[in-house]
Amino acid sequence: MKKYCKALTNLTVAMAILLGVIFILPRAIVFFSPFVTGWIIALIAGPLVRFFEEKIKLKRKVGSAFVIIVVIALVVLVIYLTGVQLFKQIAGLASALPEMIEDMETDLNSIEVRLNLLLDKLPGNIQLNLDESALKLDSYLGELLEKIGTPTITAAGNFAKQLPALFIAIIMALLSSYFFVAERLQLNEWFRRKMPASVQLRYRMIRHSLTKSVGGYLKAQLKIEVWMYVLLFIGLGILKVNYFALIALGIAFLDFLPFLGTGTVLIPWAIIKILTAQYKTAIGLLVIWGVGQLARQLIQPKIVGASIGVPPLPTLFLLYIGYKFSGVVGMIVAVPIGLLVYSMYQDGAFETTKNSILILLAGINRFRRLEKADMTEVEEMTRRNKQTADQLKNSESQSQ
C-alpha cells in the first residue's frame, strides 16, 4: 500500500509541475519580460565579455558595460534598418494592391479563355466561369484591408498609452542585462550554495537538453532559412517581381515551418504563370524552387545533423497540437518543445513519473486478475440458482 501512495504522490507532483508550466510559466515570463530580455542580451554579450577578459585583460564590469552598449546599439540599428525597409515594402504593397487586383482579374480572364478553348475540343458542353471567383477575391481583399485598418488605429492609440511603461521596461532590461553579465560568477556561486542538489541536477539536465536539442535545432533552422532567403531574394529579384524582398521573407517564413516549404507558394505560382502563357517567369519560379530544394538537401544534413531530427509523424502531431493551442505561433514552438521533452526523457528526467505509472498499472492488473478464491461466490450463486430451479420444478410437479 505504501508504494502506491508514493506513486500517487509522485504523479500528483508531476501533474502540478505540468499545470504550472502550462498556465503559470507563460504568465510569469510576460510579467518579468524586461528581465527575460535582459537575460537574452546577457547571453549574447557573455562570449564577448569573456573575450575582452581573456585577450585584452579588461575588467569584467568595464567590459560588460562596453559590450552591452555595443550589442544594444547593433541590435537597435539592425532592427531600425530592417523595420524601415519592411515598412517601405509593406506601404508600397498596400498602395499597389488595387493594381495587383486588376492584374489578378486579367490573369483569371486569360486562364478562363485558354481553358475554355481546351474544353471546346472535348466531348460535352463544359465551360468555366471565373468571374465569380474574381468578385469573391475583390470582396475578400476589401474585407481584409478593412480589418487591418481598424486594429492599426486602435493599436497606435494603445501604443501611445503604453509608452511610459515601455520606457521603464527598456531601462529595466538594460540594467538587468548589465548585472546578469557583470555578476555572473557571483550568481553562479550563490546558485551552487543555496539551491538543493536535486534542483541543480534538474537545472543542468534542462540546460543540457535546451542546448543540445532546442538550441541546436533553432540555430540550424535559422542558418538554413538565411540561405533560403538569400536564394529567394536573388531569384525573385532577377525575375523582377515587385516587392521581391517582402515576398521572399514571407516564403522563407513558410519554409521554416515543417511540411510546408517554398513549394507551397512557388509551385502554384508557376502553374498560374504557365496558364497565363508567362513561361519565362514560370520557368524561373520552378528553377528557384528546384535550386532551393537541392541546396536544402546539401546543407541540411551538415547543419542540422541526424541527432536532433524528429520523425515525420511525431512532427505532424506536434504541429497540429501547436496550431490548436496557439495558431501559427504554436506551430513554430511546438517542434522545439517536443525536442526538449524528448531530450529530457532520454536524459532520465521523467524516470520517477514513468516508474510511478508502471507501479500503478501493475497494481491495477494485479487487482483485476481473478483467482480461484474469487470464484467461490460465483460457484455458490450457481449452486443456489440450481437449487431454486429444482424446487420450482418439484412444486410444479406436485401441483399437477
Side-chain angles (χ1 to χ4, degrees):
M1 187 63 184
K2 184 179 179 181
K3 62 181 178 181
Y4 299 127
C5 291
K6 287 183 178 180
L8 287 173
T9 302
N10 290 331
L11 291 178
T12 303
V13 172
M15 183 59 66
I17 293 174
L18 178 62
L19 293 175
V21 170
I22 294 175
F23 296 104
I24 299 177
L25 184 60
R27 290 177 172 82
I29 292 175
V30 173
F31 185 82
F32 293 104
S33 56
F35 295 93
V36 175
T37 305
W39 177 66
I40 294 173
I41 295 174
L43 289 178
I44 298 173
L48 294 176
V49 172
R50 286 192 290 274
F51 171 79
F52 281 106
E53 284 182 334
E54 296 172 0
K55 302 298 182 181
I56 308 180
K57 306 300 180 183
L58 194 64
K59 291 184 178 180
R60 171 165 285 274
K61 292 188 177 181
V62 177
S64 299
F66 173 74
V67 172
I68 289 174
I69 291 172
V70 171
V71 169
I72 293 172
L74 290 175
V75 170
V76 170
L77 180 62
V78 170
I79 292 175
Y80 172 75
L81 294 177
T82 305
V84 168
Q85 292 300 319
L86 281 177
F87 180 79
K88 288 181 179 179
Q89 292 279 322
I90 293 172
L93 181 62
S95 62
L97 271 179
E99 182 180 352
M100 293 176 66
I101 294 173
E102 292 180 1
D103 292 339
M104 288 181 187
E105 293 176 351
T106 303
D107 290 341
L108 287 175
N109 292 332
S110 176
I111 292 172
E112 179 183 349
V113 171
R114 292 176 179 275
L115 290 179
N116 284 331
L117 289 175
L118 178 62
L119 292 174
D120 285 339
K121 300 178 181 180
L122 298 176
N125 187 16
I126 304 174
Q127 293 290 320
L128 291 178
N129 186 2
L130 299 181
D131 293 337
E132 294 182 1
S133 300
L135 292 175
K136 290 181 180 178
L137 181 64
D138 290 345
S139 176
Y140 173 75
L141 291 175
E143 292 177 0
L144 179 63
L145 291 175
E146 184 179 354
K147 291 179 180 179
I148 292 175
T150 304
T152 302
I153 298 173
T154 306
N158 293 332
F159 178 77
K161 293 178 182 178
Q162 296 296 326
L163 279 177
L166 181 62
F167 178 76
I168 294 174
I170 292 174
I171 297 298
M172 289 292 179
L174 299 180
L175 291 175
S176 63
S177 64
Y178 171 78
F179 287 113
F180 278 134
V181 176
E183 307 294 336
R184 180 177 62 89
L185 297 177
Q186 291 85 337
L187 289 172
N188 290 339
E189 182 63 26
W190 177 87
F191 183 78
R192 282 192 294 267
R193 286 189 290 105
K194 298 296 184 181
M195 290 293 108
S198 59
V199 175
Q200 295 186 41
L201 179 62
R202 297 291 181 183
Y203 168 74
R204 290 194 183 98
M205 189 180 297
I206 293 174
R207 185 178 65 180
H208 174 263
S209 300
L210 280 170
T211 304
K212 176 185 175 183
S213 59
V214 180
Y217 172 80
L218 291 178
K219 186 177 179 181
Q221 290 299 324
L222 286 174
K223 287 182 179 179
I224 292 172
E225 296 316 317
V226 168
W227 283 106
M228 296 303 296
Y229 176 74
V230 171
L231 174 64
L232 291 165
F233 182 89
I234 295 174
L236 296 178
I238 292 174
L239 293 177
K240 297 181 180 180
V241 175
N242 293 331
Y243 310 104
F244 61 91
L246 185 62
I247 295 173
L249 182 62
I251 298 175
F253 174 76
L254 286 177
D255 189 62
F256 180 80
L257 300 175
F259 297 103
L260 291 181
T262 57
T264 308
V265 175
L266 294 179
I267 292 178
W269 192 358
I271 292 173
I272 292 175
K273 292 301 180 182
I274 291 173
L275 293 175
T276 55
Q278 300 180 43
Y279 302 114
K280 181 180 178 181
T281 303
I283 293 172
L285 293 172
L286 292 175
V287 168
I288 294 172
W289 174 74
V291 172
Q293 293 301 306
L294 179 61
R296 174 177 279 277
Q297 295 302 319
L298 291 175
I299 65 178
Q300 184 165 301
K302 296 180 180 180
I303 295 179
V304 179
S307 60
I308 61 172
V310 182
L313 190 58
T315 303
L316 188 62
F317 275 107
L318 288 172
L319 290 173
Y320 178 75
I321 293 171
Y323 175 76
K324 296 299 286 187
F325 270 98
S326 188
V328 177
V329 177
M331 294 177 69
I332 295 174
V333 302
V335 175
I337 290 176
L339 282 171
L340 174 61
V341 173
Y342 180 69
S343 181
M344 291 176 63
Y345 174 79
Q346 287 184 318
D347 292 339
F350 307 116
E351 284 297 316
T352 301
T353 304
K354 183 180 72 173
N355 291 334
S356 299
I357 293 174
L358 292 176
I359 289 171
L360 290 178
L361 289 176
I364 292 171
N365 287 332
R366 186 180 297 110
F367 178 76
R368 291 177 60 247
R369 190 180 300 120
L370 296 176
E371 299 177 358
K372 188 174 181 180
D374 299 324
M375 297 300 294
T376 55
E377 294 185 6
V378 178
E379 293 172 355
E380 178 66 20
M381 182 181 67
T382 304
R383 187 185 64 79
R384 290 176 180 176
N385 288 338
K386 185 178 180 182
Q387 185 179 2
T388 304
D390 292 339
Q391 291 177 355
L392 289 174
K393 186 176 180 181
N394 293 332
S395 300
E396 291 177 356
S397 298
Q398 292 175 1
S399 63
Q400 292 176 356

